[in-house]
Amino acid sequence: MPIATVNPATGETLRTFEALDAAGIERCLAEAAATFATYRTTGFAERSALLNRAAEVLDADLEAVAQLMTTEMGKPLAAARAEAAKCAKAMRWYAAHAEELLADERPAEADVRDSGATTVRAHYRPLGVVLAVMPWNFPLWQVIRFAAPALMAGNVGLLKHASNVPQTALYLGELFERAGYPRGCFQTLLIGSGAVEGVLRDRRVAAATLTGSEPAGRAVAAVAGDEIKKTVLELGGSDPFVVMPSADVERAAATAVTARVQNNGQSCIAAKRFIVHADVYDEFAERFSAGMAALTVGDPMVDGTDVGPLATEQGRADLEELVDDAVRHGAAVLCGGRRPPGLEQGWFYEPTVLAGVTDRMRVDQEETFGPVATLYRVGSLDEAVERANHTPFGLSSNLWTREDSDVARCVRDLQAGGVYVNGMTASHPALPFGGVKRSGYGRELSGHGIREFCNVTTVWRAD
């Protein structure tokens, strides 16, 4: 795949970039390793000041970087502005909380004495150079939610971003330099996917994090496993949105629309499978389909647009294949199901609701990365939980109910990294984020995320 900015609203190639050659990659690796040797010794106060300064730079650039993201991957401009603001918020959160999150831990005094020590503590030390392989769908947020905690922990970063958002990638590398970070603290590598293995195998790279597709995660994990290097993977999702009889159906249906089409439907944590109890199914289906059909599809640069284009032409083709397969096998299209008329130049697709989905359809097991929802009717909570878990993914989940017993059951039995009750899944710097099964492993954000790339060191002392 060429490294290029291609406007998904028009299909026009705006800029192309040459990939780094071997000498350029070597320069970046050498600089990262040299910088880590000194940056690792800085204190939290210095790191916090730098990260707060980066947030200030991003605040000043917010409109320009939002337009850049929209140009490169097609999200509505309002969503791009919100993404940039969220990144600044996360940087400030880690600047404020990293020191307490990485404070030394001390066991109980009885255990210290039992170990034969005078004092014992667990100390968090940075691992080193961390390679981040990041996707295009949240081109700023996915990177910042790694970079902010990693830099606050004393690590340095190398970014291999998706090849269709090269200008956003370059901006991220420049952002930290402009904020005053030492050269080499965070560098963008404009490289293709074929160069990732060589970088990851380099002895100067200590670990890797990847957000992306299951095949990409499997490839990076295999190389890292061979090299015995730590990885964190956040892969695909097919999150269930369960609606029970006691739910506020009107609010659930309205939230369901937003939960499905956020980021033009191209979000791993977007709700994708809507599992609704028979008692409220008809009302929910009517409200949900009407809400999806009422969305404005169009130019993402225009305020008021709800859904922009898919980020790539292949992404739209993949989505169309899933919908066509479902219809061939008997699914009913309640709304959408086609390319919107009048928007032939870009990679647009109508918000779509499919009902009557069965196990025979690919859409039942594969992730729909676009504004397509699948709707299921169930007769009990048992059936809802079974259907929710009937997927290889386990990123997050949504439950709508007023019954505490429903909540307890789903928290216990849903196979997911999160259960969001009477609301939609959303990431926040204070909340751990990640999944199970083929959605990956490890956690980002919160204290769990900042500790992922630390060497937890036991310090035992007898006087």
Side-chain angles (χ1 to χ4, degrees), residues 199-247:
V199 175
L200 183 51
R201 288 191 184 278
D202 190 279
R203 60 177 176 77
R204 291 163 291 191
V205 173
T209 181
L210 177 141
T211 299
S213 69
E214 184 185 335
R218 187 181 294 113
V220 165
V223 173
D226 190 49
E227 294 290 336
I228 317 180
K229 293 181 179 181
K230 174 70 178 289
T231 53
V232 170
L233 303 180
E234 192 264 281
L235 308 178
S238 189
D239 289 3
F241 190 103
V242 176
V243 183
M244 296 304 292
S246 66

Side-chain angles (χ1 to χ4, degrees), residues 36-248:
F36 175 66
T38 54
Y39 182 71
R40 63 186 293 274
T41 66
T42 57
F44 285 108
E46 181 177 348
R47 296 175 201 166
S48 178
L50 288 167
L51 195 57
N52 277 318
R53 175 57 186 152
E56 292 171 4
V57 173
L58 181 54
D59 283 340
D61 294 345
L62 189 144
E63 186 63 26
V65 76
Q67 292 190 21
L68 180 57
M69 286 191 283
T70 295
T71 298
E72 290 202 305
M73 60 72 56
K75 70 173 72 232
L77 187 56
R81 294 184 184 116
E83 180 174 339
K86 183 176 182 177
C87 290
K89 174 182 176 179
M91 286 192 280
R92 291 188 171 97
W93 190 88
Y94 271 107
H97 294 286
E99 185 170 9
E100 65 185 271
L101 295 173
L102 296 179
D104 289 353
E105 296 179 11
R106 302 177 189 275
E109 283 302 317
D111 293 323
V112 172
R113 291 192 300 271
D114 189 58
S115 75
T118 306
T119 59
V120 178
R121 59 190 171 97
H123 182 66
Y124 292 97
R125 297 188 292 163
L127 283 182
V129 180
V130 183
L131 172 65
V133 182
M134 292 290 134
W136 47 260
N137 58 333
F138 292 95
L140 207 69
W141 170 243
Q142 304 279 16
V143 178
I144 293 299
R145 76 183 192 191
F146 152 72
L151 291 168
M152 282 304 301
N155 296 297
V156 302
L158 294 173
L159 170 64
K160 188 284 181 216
H161 218 324
S163 294
N164 60 327
V165 290
Q167 294 185 73
T168 306
L170 290 170
Y171 170 80
L172 283 156
E174 295 164 0
L175 169 66
F176 293 104
E177 277 200 35
R178 289 169 57 200
Y181 278 85
R183 283 183 58 86
C185 261
F186 196 90
Q187 300 175 81
T188 290
L189 306 180
L190 284 188
I191 57 176
S193 57
V196 170
E197 179 174 352
V199 175
L200 183 51
R201 288 191 184 278
D202 190 279
R203 60 177 176 77
R204 291 163 291 191
V205 173
T209 181
L210 177 141
T211 299
S213 69
E214 184 185 335
R218 187 181 294 113
V220 165
V223 173
D226 190 49
E227 294 290 336
I228 317 180
K229 293 181 179 181
K230 174 70 178 289
T231 53
V232 170
L233 303 180
E234 192 264 281
L235 308 178
S238 189
D239 289 3
F241 190 103
V242 176
V243 183
M244 296 304 292
S246 66
D248 180 336

Side-chain angles (χ1 to χ4, degrees), residues 397-420:
S397 62
N398 306 263
L399 170 65
W400 287 77
T401 183
R402 292 187 177 98
E403 300 292 337
D404 289 344
S405 58
D406 292 347
V407 176
R409 171 71 191 284
C410 288
V411 168
R412 186 190 72 186
D413 291 341
L414 287 179
Q415 297 167 357
V419 180
Y420 285 70

Side-chain angles (χ1 to χ4, degrees), residues 227-295:
E227 294 290 336
I228 317 180
K229 293 181 179 181
K230 174 70 178 289
T231 53
V232 170
L233 303 180
E234 192 264 281
L235 308 178
S238 189
D239 289 3
F241 190 103
V242 176
V243 183
M244 296 304 292
S246 66
D248 180 336
V249 176
E250 182 178 1
R251 191 161 68 92
T255 304
V257 173
T258 304
R260 184 62 206 97
V261 302
Q262 59 174 310
N263 207 47
N264 301 341
Q266 300 164 123
S267 170
C268 296
I269 58 169
K272 299 184 175 80
R273 296 175 300 128
F274 296 82
I275 301 165
V276 185
H277 194 281
D279 290 355
V280 292
Y281 178 90
D282 290 340
E283 180 186 357
F284 179 88
E286 181 179 354
R287 290 182 181 277
F288 181 44
S289 299
M292 291 282 279
L295 295 169

